Amino acid sequence: MSNLERIEADLARARDAIRKAVQAKNHSKGNDDQGFIPTGSIYRNAHSFHQSHVEMEKRLKVWIYREGEAPLVHDGPLNNIYGIEGQFIDEMESGKSRFMARHPDEANLFLIPISVANIVNTLYKPLVTYSRDQLQRVVLDYIGIISERYPYWNRSQGADHFLVSCHDWAPDISEANPKLYDKFIRVLCNANTSEGFKPQRDVSIPEINIPYGKLGPTPQSTSPDKRSILAFFAGGAHGNIRHILLEHWKDKDNEVQVHEYLDKKKNYFKLMGKSKFCLCPSGYEVASARVVTAISVGCVPVLISDYYALPFSDVLDWTKFSVYIPSEKIPEIKTILKGISPKRYLKLQKRVTEVHRHFMIHRPAQPYDMIHMLLHSVWLRRLDVLLPS
């Protein structure tokens, strides 16, 4: 068998194991489950997800191309709202990841280690143009180099290749040559289906604000009976949805507390921790770091967004731990939230605490954390692809 035939045969065994686990409704323990097995209603199919994660631990190998130099390649921001792309690249290239391939011939996925955030920060300083031309040329040139040197991109037309970015401009890399990226996996925070994001091919990842010296928001565990605020939001009027939210609710209600600028004497995170529901409206782009922050403080996220493909929704059922309110119903926020019974709220809040492990970052990465969930989302796309030998 050729290397590609061996890879495809191995992936076929993974698909078969997942199928059998779903049929038998059983769980086989993974190599490094650390005592955790996913169960419960927060998962679309806990058996499928668990077995798929087990198979990923056994079989996933990712080759990171060596070409290119920092800061545009093999680098990325480790903090603030774009930090996940740098954290992911650094994790994969640290030498500590079990998923790193020793040779490209054994890889079933290929990472293009480009940081869109670094490209924008380097090539667009000072900012004299919003043209995406420079960004698009860097990515096109990189793909041109690796497709000339190696057979891997050409044999799959990029279907087993992926790039990770949280920058708002990242989706625009495809516009210069849409046909080239037709099968390429884009792992994006800006997962806007009205702007070309395709959930069957692309991967949505959570936007997370990573403080310096930490790996995410500080968790809180305020009990439900001590959450005295019905709903909370504080933030700028970025984008149409927030503008509508502020117009209807800014400083007008004691139960639905909406602020554009929070008083310096007040603590943003403590107020979220005292709230039953945390409003997470889209800004200029669909993703909001408030979703992860809300989950980390045990506050039920209220997703106010249009065209947002939610992160990890292949395996997570967001209806079980969040509330969705379309933008046209912003005036009805209080009525909708008041209409949620105490029993249902307690279920939602409990599930928020259960799902939290999937929105945490660890270094090195741990099973079922955000980095593993990101990898698992890409792994699922690879399982959907059959490459001709």
Side-chain angles (χ1 to χ4, degrees):
M1 297 175 71
S2 68
N3 289 325
L4 182 55
E5 287 172 332
R6 281 194 292 271
I7 288 169
E8 288 301 318
D10 194 50
L11 293 174
R13 286 189 284 271
R15 296 184 195 100
D16 186 55
I18 296 167
R19 204 161 31 240
K20 288 178 178 176
V22 172
Q23 292 169 349
K25 296 184 178 180
N26 65 4
H27 293 284
S28 61
K29 187 169 177 56
N31 296 331
D32 196 13
D33 279 341
Q34 299 181 343
F36 172 74
I37 292 178
T39 57
S41 62
I42 61 172
Y43 304 106
R44 295 187 179 279
N45 188 312
H47 302 289
S48 173
F49 172 44
H50 180 250
Q51 190 63 43
S52 180
H53 198 283
V54 168
E55 298 303 319
M56 180 183 79
E57 288 180 346
K58 288 181 185 177
R59 309 176 193 278
L60 177 60
K61 291 298 177 185
V62 180
W63 176 257
I64 303 104
Y65 287 105
R66 309 286 172 82
E67 283 72 14
E69 297 179 0
L72 307 187
V73 185
H74 308 292
D75 201 352
L78 299 174
N79 304 103
N80 298 323
I81 60 171
Y82 300 144
I84 186 62
E85 67 182 68
Q87 292 285 350
F88 183 82
I89 293 171
D90 189 60
E91 170 73 19
M92 295 306 297
E93 296 194 320
S94 66
K96 298 178 181 179
S97 174
R98 70 169 67 183
F99 302 112
M100 187 174 179
R102 295 166 297 178
H103 189 278
D105 280 348
E106 70 175 13
N108 41 43
L109 278 166
F110 297 80
L111 171 63
I112 294 180
I114 285 177
S115 170
V116 174
N118 274 13
I119 292 172
V120 175
N121 191 52
T122 303
L123 300 185
Y124 289 82
K125 297 293 182 180
L127 184 61
V128 295
T129 177
Y130 286 95
S131 168
R132 308 298 198 256
D133 181 62
Q134 293 180 85
L135 166 63
Q136 291 164 346
R137 273 193 280 116
V138 170
V139 183
L140 278 171
D141 288 349
Y142 195 88
I143 291 174
I145 289 170
I146 62 169
S147 62
E148 287 179 7
R149 292 184 180 178
Y150 308 102
Y152 311 108
W153 175 280
N154 296 325
R155 76 183 183 188
S156 69
Q157 287 78 56
D160 52 0
H161 287 60
F162 69 105
L163 174 148
V164 177
S165 179
C166 235
H167 197 279
D168 296 348
W169 292 13
D172 299 336
I173 62 172
S174 309
E175 291 182 0
N177 188 344
K179 188 175 181 180
L180 178 69
Y181 298 101
D182 186 48
K183 297 181 180 179
F184 180 55
I185 303 169
R186 302 176 305 167
V187 184
L188 308 171
C189 287
N190 189 9
N192 189 331
T193 57
S194 73
E195 297 178 356
F197 182 90
K198 298 180 179 178
Q200 296 80 13
R201 178 201 65 189
D202 299 324
V203 170
S204 173
I205 52 173
E207 188 169 273
I208 178 171
N209 198 345
I210 305 176
Y212 286 92
K214 298 181 180 180
L215 288 172
T218 303
Q220 295 182 35
S221 56
T222 309
S223 61
D225 60 332
K226 293 182 179 179
R227 295 177 180 267
S228 56
I229 302 170
L230 176 64
F232 173 78
F233 170 82
H238 304 153
N240 186 54
I241 288 178
R242 289 199 200 175
H243 178 78
I244 297 170
L245 177 67
L246 290 166
E247 181 182 356
H248 279 86
W249 293 102
K250 178 184 173 184
D251 302 326
K252 293 179 181 179
D253 195 289
N254 289 328
E255 292 183 288
V256 179
Q257 295 192 16
V258 173
H259 312 282
E260 186 171 4
Y261 298 104
L262 196 62
D263 189 313
K264 292 182 179 179
K265 296 178 182 179
K266 296 180 178 180
N267 187 297
Y268 174 80
F269 296 100
K270 285 185 178 179
L271 286 169
M272 290 186 80
K274 290 180 180 178
S275 302
K276 292 181 178 179
F277 298 96
C278 288
L279 306 181
C280 304
S282 293
Y284 289 125
E285 306 298 345
V286 291
S288 170
R290 284 171 179 78
V291 177
V292 174
T293 304
I295 291 172
S296 70
V297 300
C299 183
V300 177
V302 178
L303 308 167
I304 309 174
S305 181
D306 300 323
Y307 311 113
Y308 184 25
L310 291 166
F312 311 143
S313 55
D314 298 297
V315 296
L316 298 181
D317 184 349
W318 282 80
T319 66
K320 298 299 191 293
F321 58 91
S322 68
V323 176
Y324 171 66
I325 297 179
S327 60
E328 65 266 20
K329 292 191 176 182
I330 285 175
E332 304 171 41
I333 284 175
K334 188 171 182 177
T335 304
I336 292 169
L337 297 182
K338 283 277 195 177
I340 295 174
S341 69
K343 182 179 180 181
R344 185 186 168 210
Y345 164 71
L346 289 174
K347 285 183 178 180
L348 289 168
Q349 201 277 333
K350 181 176 181 292
R351 292 166 186 157
V352 167
T353 62
E354 291 173 355
V355 83
H356 181 218
R357 70 164 59 241
H358 301 310
F359 294 88
M360 297 174 68
I361 296 175
H362 299 95
R363 297 296 309 275
Q366 296 179 11
Y368 301 102
D369 73 358
M370 187 186 291
I371 290 178
H372 274 230
M373 291 291 285
L374 188 160
L375 275 168
H376 181 261
S377 296
V378 183
W379 161 252
L380 287 179
R381 271 88 185 144
R382 181 62 180 90
L383 289 178
D384 282 343
V385 174
L386 295 171
L387 298 184
S389 58

